[in-house]
Amino acid sequence: MPRNSLCLKIPKITGEKAITTANKLGVIDKELEIHRNNTHIYIPITRNLLQEELKKFKKLIPNLEFSTYTFKERKKHPATLLEILDGKLPPHLLGSLPRAIDFVGDIAIIEIPQELERYKTEIGNAIMQSHKNVQTVLAKAGPVKGKYRLREFTHIAGENRTETIHKEHGCKYYVDLTRVYFSPRLSNEHKRVTSVVKEGETVIDMFAGVGPFAILIAKTHKNVKVYAIDINPSAIAFLEKNVRLNRVGEKVRPILGDAKQIVRQQLRGVADRVIMNLPEKAMEFIGTACEALKPEGGIIHFYNFVSLSDSLENLKVRFAKEIKKFGRKVEKILFTRFIRETAPYEWQAVLDVEIR
Ligand SMILES: C[S@@+](CC[C@H](N)C(=O)[O-])C[C@H]1O[C@@H](n2cnc3c(N)ncnc32)[C@H](O)[C@@H]1O
């Protein structure tokens, strides 16, 4: 709502100097927007200037005038986590507040350091206050582990649930964070891999999860066929739901089972492209990827972890050696990148490789 207020009217040429001075004096009304026209700027103030202040001002800006103006109100941004928690947490702990928050649909996920454990409810509530779309806050309660790559969570604020609908690059995904793997941190990879797929290709997503590669590829390209395999029955149940939700049923075929067996039994020599997003075990599946590719070859998107003592160069060498074991050859490394830090001194990396 526009509001009438006392203000400083200043020729535009000295405007920035005036704002700096008024700011230093703490007289600007921060709830209102400074107004500018072709000749003047109007700075809303909360009080009259004291004699001393006026003198100082006139020295810098001789043709300063007092006036009134109807100002627009500034849009209020929700307070930051730090602002909300200032005064609620011991000051020396404010620096330990988690900097990274993952958002999956309307669920926020954080990692609570040991020293903040007893303040987790306050932190959860503060996240809900500072992020109006968030309905649930979960804290990570352990690492991603097991065959299905799952993590445990502790509920710390809002609705007590782990299921949501996540939106990514125009697609929607049903996800239950305790039953299936999903990371919003792979969003760029889902998009990047999709962007290099060509019309007419057959793609095998060997570790598909709820389908963020498979569904985006199908949604983006007219003429593609994607086989999306996962060993976790819940992942396949969600993937099937997501295929329907995103209307890509003609292009994506979800398959429940071990990628090794599925490829051997149903998908030998059919793929132009294979996606291998199971970094902790991908090396063990290179033979399967080779089997899945067409006899003339194709592309493999290979995800793996690289630690400080290792290097991307070593990873390329190990990958090429493994490929050779299965009678194939690395024709060209098309792309390499560190995607994200997954643990102290450990990164997830990707190699896009052309195989013959
Ligand atoms: C890191 S997640 C990747 C999910 C998905 N690509 C994404 O970007 O969200 C790895 C997936 O591989 C599945 N998986 C593990 N071992 C498998 C196997 N032998 N065959 C097929 N899928 C497997 C897990 O259930 C999990 O959903």
Side-chain angles (χ1 to χ4, degrees):
M1 275 249 296
R3 179 149 60 83
N4 207 33
S5 167
L6 182 64
C7 66
L8 303 174
K9 181 179 172 191
I10 285 146
K12 209 173 176 183
I13 196 153
T14 46
E16 293 313 313
K17 214 194 277 177
I19 293 173
T20 311
T21 313
N23 215 359
K24 275 187 194 154
L25 295 175
V27 292
I28 300 182
D29 187 338
K30 299 275 166 84
E31 288 184 0
L32 300 176
E33 259 181 38
I34 292 173
H35 175 74
R36 293 169 167 84
N37 65 19
N38 286 340
T39 54
H40 287 84
I41 76 161
Y42 297 75
I43 307 173
I45 52 175
T46 49
R47 60 170 171 82
N48 266 315
L49 300 184
L50 306 173
Q51 281 298 332
E52 272 307 298
E53 292 173 336
L54 190 57
K55 245 199 224 161
K56 200 167 158 188
F57 239 111
K58 287 245 166 169
K59 226 187 216 172
L60 287 167
I61 304 143
N63 33 9
L64 154 103
E65 288 172 52
F66 285 95
S67 177
T68 56
Y69 187 80
T70 307
F71 290 92
K72 280 193 207 152
E73 280 195 5
R74 270 174 190 254
K75 283 198 188 94
K76 287 197 181 95
H77 295 287
T80 64
L81 200 56
L82 200 66
E83 284 163 353
I84 298 167
L85 290 170
D86 193 12
K88 292 186 182 152
L89 257 61
H92 69 282
L93 290 181
L94 288 173
S96 303
L97 279 173
R99 264 173 246 139
I101 306 178
D102 284 337
F103 298 97
V104 178
D106 58 3
I107 300 179
I109 303 162
I110 50 165
E111 206 161 343
I112 304 262
Q114 190 65 39
E115 64 272 29
L116 289 179
E117 190 56 31
R118 53 189 287 221
Y119 299 101
K120 63 181 183 216
T121 309
E122 285 85 346
I123 296 171
N125 288 334
I127 290 175
M128 294 207 45
Q129 209 179 316
S130 57
H131 297 85
K132 295 292 177 203
N133 297 333
V134 169
Q135 301 300 326
T136 297
V137 184
L138 304 176
K140 292 179 186 172
V144 170
K145 61 179 198 288
K147 192 157 73 171
Y148 299 161
R149 311 309 299 149
L150 302 179
R151 189 196 288 282
E152 286 176 14
F153 296 94
T154 313
H155 167 256
I156 59 170
E159 295 169 22
N160 189 356
R161 61 175 159 86
T162 51
E163 196 167 335
T164 187
I165 298 178
H166 182 73
K167 289 187 192 147
E168 193 180 86
H169 311 306
C171 299
K172 288 183 187 164
Y173 303 100
Y174 284 107
V175 175
D176 183 333
L177 293 162
T178 54
R179 291 168 63 201
V180 297
Y181 175 92
F182 187 81
S183 171
R185 297 186 190 190
L186 291 174
S187 162
N188 285 343
E189 270 306 294
H190 300 147
K191 180 95 188 244
R192 187 188 69 78
V193 169
T194 297
S195 73
V196 294
V197 170
K198 296 188 186 73
E199 286 298 330
E201 283 190 0
T202 297
V203 180
I204 299 183
D205 185 356
M206 292 207 320
F207 313 108
V210 300
F213 282 110
I215 288 174
L216 184 60
I217 289 170
K219 196 93 187 166
T220 311
H221 300 279
K222 257 194 192 149
N223 179 24
V224 285
K225 179 81 201 170
V226 189
Y227 296 99
I229 309 168
D230 205 288
I231 201 165
N232 175 359
S234 298
I236 291 296
F238 276 95
L239 174 58
E240 282 169 347
K241 229 168 144 179
N242 293 333
V243 163
R244 285 194 296 276
L245 184 66
N246 293 283
R247 299 165 203 256
V248 288
E250 282 177 15
K251 298 181 212 167
V252 179
R253 198 178 126 207
I255 309 175
L256 173 63
D258 175 357
K260 271 187 189 163
Q261 286 176 17
I262 301 293
V263 168
R264 178 140 303 166
Q265 292 161 2
Q266 310 177 28
L267 300 171
R268 288 178 79 168
V270 305
D272 297 291
R273 188 177 297 274
V274 176
I275 304 169
M276 303 180 68
N277 182 19
L278 181 63
E280 49 291 308
K281 285 218 185 123
M283 254 332 154
E284 297 170 24
F285 285 84
I286 288 184
T288 303
C290 288
E291 232 178 308
L293 285 177
K294 286 182 173 167
E296 65 269 32
I299 312 284
I300 295 181
H301 300 276
F302 178 77
Y303 293 85
N304 214 286
F305 292 130
V306 178
S307 62
L308 192 63
S309 55
D310 205 347
S311 71
L312 260 184
E313 285 315 306
N314 282 348
L315 183 65
K316 287 183 205 169
V317 172
R318 281 196 289 137
F319 179 83
K321 253 191 194 167
E322 211 51 35
I323 287 284
K324 220 171 153 192
K325 277 193 205 162
F326 296 96
R328 298 274 194 170
K329 176 174 161 265
V330 168
E331 182 73 13
K332 199 173 175 190
I333 305 268
L334 302 170
F335 181 84
T336 62
R337 177 164 89 166
F338 286 112
I339 300 166
R340 58 182 177 143
E341 197 171 0
T342 40
Y345 310 114
E346 183 195 85
W347 292 267
Q348 184 176 353
V350 61
L351 307 180
D352 289 3
V353 190
E354 192 181 328
I355 305 290
R356 287 284 165 254

